[in-house]
Amino acid sequence: MRVLVIGSGGREHALCRALALDPQVSELHCAPGNPGIAQVATTHAVAATDPGQVTALAERLGVELVVIGPEAPLVAGVADALRAAGVACFGPSAQAARIEGSKSFAKQVMTAAGVPTARARTCTDAEQVAAALEEFGEPYVVKADGLAAGKGVVVTRDRAEALAHAKACGRVVIEEFLDGPELSLFALCDGGTAVPLQAAQDFKRAYDGGRGPNTGGMGAYTPLPWAPADLTAQVMERVVLPTLGELGRRGLPYVGVLYAGLALTADGPKVIEFNARFGDPETQVVLDRLETPLGGLLHACATGTLAAFGPVRHREGAAVTVVLAAENYPADPVKGDVIEGLDALPPDAYVLHAGTALRPDGALVSAGGRVLNVVGSGPTVAEARARAYEAIARITMRGSHHRTDIAADV
Ligand code: AMP
Ligand code: GLY
């Protein structure tokens, strides 16, 4: 099977790594990719968000499957264009991807499907904002009602900050605060049925102890030893399947990954957000534990044949990833710093490239805020964590920073 992956981050490197390990995958391409991805796939300088360019590339390469990583190409209609051209695609249509792109659409779907989530109000002016802050009380949760790559949310006890964020965003969703540990569950969907991958947890704040600004994610681990044994079954039954059913009723059959961001509250799991793509960096650890070959699995989703595919298996043990971030990430990351030490990693650890580039002289340099994902694995979360931190200690990059408490209290 010839496969094309769209995207250029750590998540796409993890997807490419897993696809390259699938014996059914005979040829692997990625657009645009990055220097790490180029070690396992042929990369192509094509704009990921241009439906015409991506479709032309897929047709030229004669691929049997396109896997779309980030949300921007989904919202731009890349999956629609591919399917219209008869190319099997893992990724929802632009209309279905609104489950991520529009917080108010997601709330409507959840309400109609009876999915447990925070009570919420969509507000378009200062008066509505003030009333909603009053109604739900602190901590205040204020979300931009548009695509914000996981960065458009402010959770604060400071009313002035909540008001300022609402004003800056224009249209916002204000909601009740959900109290409980957060987790991410990815369901692979084929338009009819769905299968869950193993749950993971990520760490969104920039600094140790959950302090500092929100980021795309500074690390992650799987499995979650603290979660109830039936958590995944509960989430499938109460959240994923009703949501897919409601989307189907609206004429928006969902093909791709439905990412449920959940809080495990005293009343059970409740949805914080949906995403229409794999989570980053949770994917890096979940795919490390996935035993079922990824290419065949995603192809079954893209072709509506998941029901006949058979069970999805994960390997025993755990994986932890720690993000190496650039100086001044997330505010205004510095680029162009030289990365060294990648050739001397301990066993049971490896590096996925997130924001890297090759300089004309061949040096590997930073090219984004999140630069590398260092992944460690082992029989337990503690051992996987030790491997990941042993590995990151051997990597040097001027100005870099990482959290030292990823998966520390598990
Ligand atoms: P989102 O972009 O919706 O994932 O929000 C980013 C982060 O804000 C989440 O991962 C949570 O940590 C936090 N958050 C969002 N909504 C809520 C909520 N209703 N209650 C508690 N925390 C929330
Ligand atoms: N790790 C959070 C996200 O991908 O949005």
Side-chain angles (χ1 to χ4, degrees), residues 165-198:
H165 186 61
K167 195 170 171 202
C169 293
R171 188 181 160 91
V172 290
V173 174
I174 294 182
E175 63 182 45
E176 164 195 19
F177 179 78
L178 296 177
D179 201 6
E182 285 181 40
L183 60 113
S184 304
L185 189 89
F186 305 147
L188 307 183
C189 312
D190 77 344
T193 179
V195 294
L197 298 183
Q198 192 167 279

Side-chain angles (χ1 to χ4, degrees), residues 11 71 100 149-151 184 186 201-204 215-220 259 273-275 277-284 370:
R11 167 186 48 211
E71 61 271 34
E100 167 165 359
K151 291 155 208 157
S184 304
F186 305 147
Q201 187 175 53
D202 81 340
F203 293 76
K204 289 207 170 69
T215 72
M218 294 296 288
Y259 161 161
E273 62 161 350
F274 281 126
N275 292 308
R277 52 170 176 84
F278 283 104
D280 187 345
E282 298 97 307
T283 302
Q284 286 82 318
R370 293 187 291 177

Side-chain angles (χ1 to χ4, degrees), residues 107-172:
K107 283 290 178 193
Q108 281 170 27
V109 169
M110 283 189 269
T111 305
V115 168
T117 185
R119 289 180 296 125
R121 299 260 175 272
T122 302
C123 307
T124 48
D125 63 38
E127 218 169 287
Q128 291 172 353
V129 167
L133 294 181
E134 185 67 27
E135 177 181 358
F136 299 128
E138 7 168 326
Y140 303 113
V141 181
V142 182
K143 305 187 174 188
D145 189 24
L147 214 54
K151 291 155 208 157
V153 178
V154 161
V155 181
T156 179
R157 291 185 181 276
D158 180 346
R159 192 163 179 279
E161 190 188 349
L163 286 169
H165 186 61
K167 195 170 171 202
C169 293
R171 188 181 160 91
V172 290

Side-chain angles (χ1 to χ4, degrees), residues 243-272:
T243 300
L244 296 176
E246 178 59 26
L247 288 169
R249 272 191 291 282
R250 292 172 181 233
L252 302 172
Y254 194 93
V255 177
V257 54
L258 182 67
Y259 161 161
L262 304 149
L264 189 53
T265 74
D267 301 327
K270 292 191 180 179
V271 175
I272 289 181

